[in-house]
């Protein structure tokens, strides 16, 4: 029962995000707008209720389950890759490797630089 | 008797229960096999589960569109689940405040390059504009990426495939590079997982720690918003 109350809050924020998206034609999904709204609301409110924490933990722990039906689609639409699969595979593998490397190096460099300048202060 | 057995799939798939049962079953089976294999990093449970689920659907000769229709009862929960990511985000706000400057500097560069690297490589190898448009949002979480791909004129199933592969390899590369560079700050690892590997990376980050998970949610959310706003502008240049 308390978990359902938390779920209701999540659904309401999602619907609110969808409404924002549709009314103001924002090219961002309702879920992300709802997530931003949720974070801002909690920052103003200053605490999370137990029911909301329980509902969010429950949903986050099954995130993988929720993306599975989309994932399965890969195997049934694989023929769309035909002819260009090499370009697609190299782009995904090398591109992702480079972008992960960039993110880690950039963050590492900036966080260390920050720590060093703080130590000097 | 055999005939009635075969028509059973046809009858049962009329209700979403079959699709939900198959998906749940594959989810638990995937986790079980993953644990039995000693939790290999290169083969996440989501891939194991997806392979088993696809095989089952093919064996039952269940129509994929019909499966997808029933599974919508699960996928609609992705919306509220995305909202739920705002709660760890709030709970970890003190960590995020401490790192807001590196985060804001890294985000535009890394999120842009995540798309640019892939598009440039695919373009150099002779991919068509439709394929390029399908690859561009590869690091963006599925609900947002669908919108972007449609706007750019790409193929949604191709994009979903690229999205999954990106999520899995991003998770592998973060684990690999964390050891090589080395990076042991779980806030940085979480952020890199969410920025590059969207929901798959975020699920992995929550396995590392709550803090890593919160940074992954942040990375995923910011990348989604940023890419959705910038990519349609850049792509038409």
């Amino acid at each position: 029962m308390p978990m359902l109350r938390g779920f209701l809050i999540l659904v309401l924020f999602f619907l609110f995000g969808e409404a924002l998206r549709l009314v103001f034609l924002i090219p961002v999904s309702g879920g992300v707008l709802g997530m931003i709204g949720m974070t801002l609301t909690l920052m103003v409110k200053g605490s999370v209720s137990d029911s909301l924490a329980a509902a969010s933990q429950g949903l986050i722990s099954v995130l993988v389950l929720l993306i599975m039906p989309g994932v399965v689609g890969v195997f049934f639409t694989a023929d769309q890759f035909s002819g260009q699969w090499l370009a697609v595979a190299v782009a995904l593998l090398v591109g992702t490797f480079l972008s992960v490397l960039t993110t880690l190096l950039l963050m590492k460099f900036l966080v260390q630089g920050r720590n060093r300048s703080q130590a000097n202060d | 008797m055999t005939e009635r057995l075969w028509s059973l799939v046809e009858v049962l798939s009329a209700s979403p229960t079959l699709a939900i049962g198959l998906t749940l079953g594959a989810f638990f089976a995937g986790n079980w096999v993953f644990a039995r294999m000693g939790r290999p990093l290169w083969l996440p449970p989501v891939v194991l589960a997806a392979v088993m689920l696809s095989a089952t659907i093919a064996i039952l000769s269940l129509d994929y569109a019909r499966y997808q229709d029933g599974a919508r009862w699960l996928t609609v929960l992705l919306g509220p689940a995305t909202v739920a990511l705002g709660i760890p985000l709030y709970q970890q706000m003190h960590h995020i405040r401490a790192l807001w400057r590196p985060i804001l500097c890294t985000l535009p560069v890394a999120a842009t390059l995540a798309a640019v690297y892939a598009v440039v490589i695919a373009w150099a190898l002779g991919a068509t504009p439709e394929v390029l448009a399908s690859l561009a949002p590869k690091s963006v979480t599925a609900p947002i990426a669908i919108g972007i791909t449609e706007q750019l004129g790409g193929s949604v199933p191709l994009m979903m495939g690229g999205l999954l592969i990106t999520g899995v390899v991003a998770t592998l590369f973060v684990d690999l590079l964390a050891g090589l560079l080395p990076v042991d700050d779980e806030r940085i690892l979480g952020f890199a997982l969410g920025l590059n590997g969207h929901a798959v990376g975020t699920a992995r980050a929550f396995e590392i720690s709550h803090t890593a998970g919160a940074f992954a949610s942040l990375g995923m959310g910011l990348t989604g918003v940023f890419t959705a706003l910038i990519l349609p502008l850049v792509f038409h240049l």
Side-chain angles (χ1 to χ4, degrees), chain A residues 4 11 14 19 23-24 26 40 50 56 58 61 65 68-69 74 77-78 81 86 100 103 105 116:
Chain A
L4 277 182
V11 170
F14 173 69
V23 172
F24 296 102
I26 307 170
L40 294 178
D50 289 344
S56 83
S61 64
L65 175 72
M68 257 174 55
V74 183
T77 50
F81 283 88
L86 183 71
V100 168
T103 314
L105 284 178
R116 209 170 296 129

Side-chain angles (χ1 to χ4, degrees), chain A residues 66-85:
Chain A
L66 305 183
I67 57 174
M68 257 174 55
V71 168
V72 172
V74 183
F75 298 101
F76 293 91
T77 50
D79 47 332
Q80 297 216 17
F81 283 88
S82 66
Q84 306 196 43
W85 65 269

Side-chain angles (χ1 to χ4, degrees), chain B residues 165-183:
Chain B
I165 296 166
T166 303
V168 173
V169 297
T171 307
L172 298 181
F173 288 147
V174 169
D175 282 317
L176 179 76
L177 290 170
L180 288 178
L181 287 176
V183 177

